[in-house]
Structure formats: structure tokens, C-alpha cells
Amino acid sequence: MSKRSIKITTSAVLMAAATLTATAPAGATSTPAGATSTDRPLTNVRVATHFDFSAGQMPENIALLPDGTANVTFAASRQVAQVTPRGTTRILATLPAPADGGTATPVLGFPLATGIVRTSDGTVYVLYATGTADLTGLWRMRPGRAPKRIAALPANGLPNGLALDGRGERLYVTDSVLGTVWTVPVTGGTPTAWSTAPELSSTGFLGANGAKVHRGALWVSNLDRGTLLRIPIRSGNRAGTPQVKASGMTGIDDFAFTGRGDEVLAALNAPNTVVRVRADGTVTTVLDAGDGLQNPTSVALRGKDVYVLSAAYTTATDPNLLRARLHDHR
């Protein structure tokens, strides 16, 4: 990626981030509406890895390997990278740039790598949004091979969150602009619109965002609406009616389940916090800027080890990977 293209893309990122900040209600930088004061279910909190903002290394999403290595997408540089447990970063692949530089990408105006999942055989799936029909979609990366697009998604949408079903056979894709959840087999092919429920739509910026399959349902966050949704997966892979499980979290990006039932840790981008969402919908702030967060985008857990990515979209200072330990206090 040339210095000129990085400069242009970074400018586009900051403009889009300014839009995100402007859409957040007054007070969105503090504890979310309905949240209790900060508690500390996390210990040993530290920034483990710093990334290069000037190179477009704004981490958007994460998939963990069994040994604690993290595969991450760098949104603005269109890259997939690997971060070792010791903090060393290695670029695995760079997705091809669109001919127009990505200026047609809906809402954001720059091409970006977003959701990522990894299967047990080492195959990595990545979402890519460019605003062009030839590149927007689901990409597959196999060890030792170049990335390959295996499913085209609408160029006028913004594929964002990516989730794998419990059998490892099907992927779910959230579209933050079209307010749609798509589903596609891991082998690729033509995506099917799985849900277009109104709860997935945006209110002017970005709607459906993060996605996880958990206990017979697809859980989806909605950034604009500040909600966490549970959509039952019915027989025949039919979508049930969305249920709002938590609200008042404007700026919610991706999230992860803690292993304690339906309890979730979620990244709130513009508010610059990570919150714990209990099964009853109670929201508690557990990390903030004082811990090193710089517009957190996603959370992942491996046992009790917690990983949080920060993209620094508005802070433009220190994109990073924060690590912590989830302890037993509830």
C-alpha cells in the first residue's frame, strides 16, 4: 500500500469516524444509558501490542487460534495479520485494492477488511467491503494460498460481522448498511438473505454489526440503535423473530460470550468502553480509556483470557491489542 493511498484512506477513516462521533448522543463517552458504575471482573489488564496507525493498521475484528495467537483484520490497510502471544505482528495477506480506490464504499468511502473467523483446519474467512461488485464479499484464505473471493455480496452494502455456525458448515454475515443478515455455506456460493428484520436497520450510520452463534441463535449488535439482539435459528435454518436482550449501548461494535451463560463482553466504539452485559440485560462498564482503549472494535475470549482490539478511529493515536484476565467474581 503506497504512502499516498494510506494518507487518503486515513483521511477517509477520520471523516467517517467524525460522523460516528456526531451520531452518538450527548454523554455517549461516559457510562452507557442503563449501565451501572465501573466494576472490575477483569484483572491483569495491559496493552499487549501496539499497531501502526500511519500504515492503516486499524484492527477491526479478531479470531483466536488454540495457542493464543490472534488473526486480525486491519480495516484501512485491507490486510489480514497474525499477532503472536508475545506481541509480534506478521501480515498474512493484503486484499486487492478496488480500481476507484474504494471511494464508492457505502457510508465510509474507503475499502475495508471487516469480519473474520477461522475454522479448525486453519482456513480463514474474511469480509471485504469496497463499493464495487468485483471485490465486495466473503473471501477465503487457506494456508499457503492467496486469498480468494468465494461469495459476492451487494456492492451497495457493507458486510461487517461474520459468524460460523456450530457445525462449521455455514457462515452468517451482517450488512450494516442494508440491515440484512446473509447466510452462505463455507464452500461459498450465492448468499441468501436470512433476515431483514427492522431491528437490524441503521438510523443513519451503521446498523447490524457484530455477530455470534450461541445456544441455538444468532446474536447481533446494532451500532446505531445500541442494542444486542438474539435471533433464534429455526429448523431448516430459518430466522426467528429478533429479541432485544440489552439496549442503551450506542456505538456497540463486536462482542463475545464469556462462557457464563448468555453473559457478554461488548466493545463500544465511540464511547471508548468495554461493557459487560449480563443475561438480564444489565450493562456495566468494565474497561475505558484509562485502561488503554482507543475506540474498541471487537472482543474475543480463550478460556478466561480476554482480547480487545482498538482501532483508534477517532483518537488517531494508538491502535492496539489489549489483554486481560476474566476472574471468577460475579
Side-chain angles (χ1 to χ4, degrees), residues 299-321:
V299 182
L301 282 91
R302 177 178 173 269
K304 295 183 179 180
D305 291 324
V306 179
Y307 298 67
V308 181
L309 291 178
S310 285
Y313 286 135
T314 63
T315 64
T317 304
D318 180 31
N320 62 56
L321 169 62

Side-chain angles (χ1 to χ4, degrees), residues 4-28:
R4 180 175 179 274
S5 62
I6 289 172
K7 182 177 180 181
I8 292 172
T9 300
T10 301
S11 297
V13 169
L14 293 176
M15 289 177 66
T19 303
L20 173 59
T21 302
T23 62

Side-chain angles (χ1 to χ4, degrees), residues 41-47 287 305-306 322-327:
L42 302 180
T43 59
N44 195 24
V45 178
R46 75 277 188 198
V47 175
L287 294 171
D305 291 324
V306 179
L322 180 149
R323 294 191 60 180
R325 183 81 175 167
L326 181 69
H327 64 69

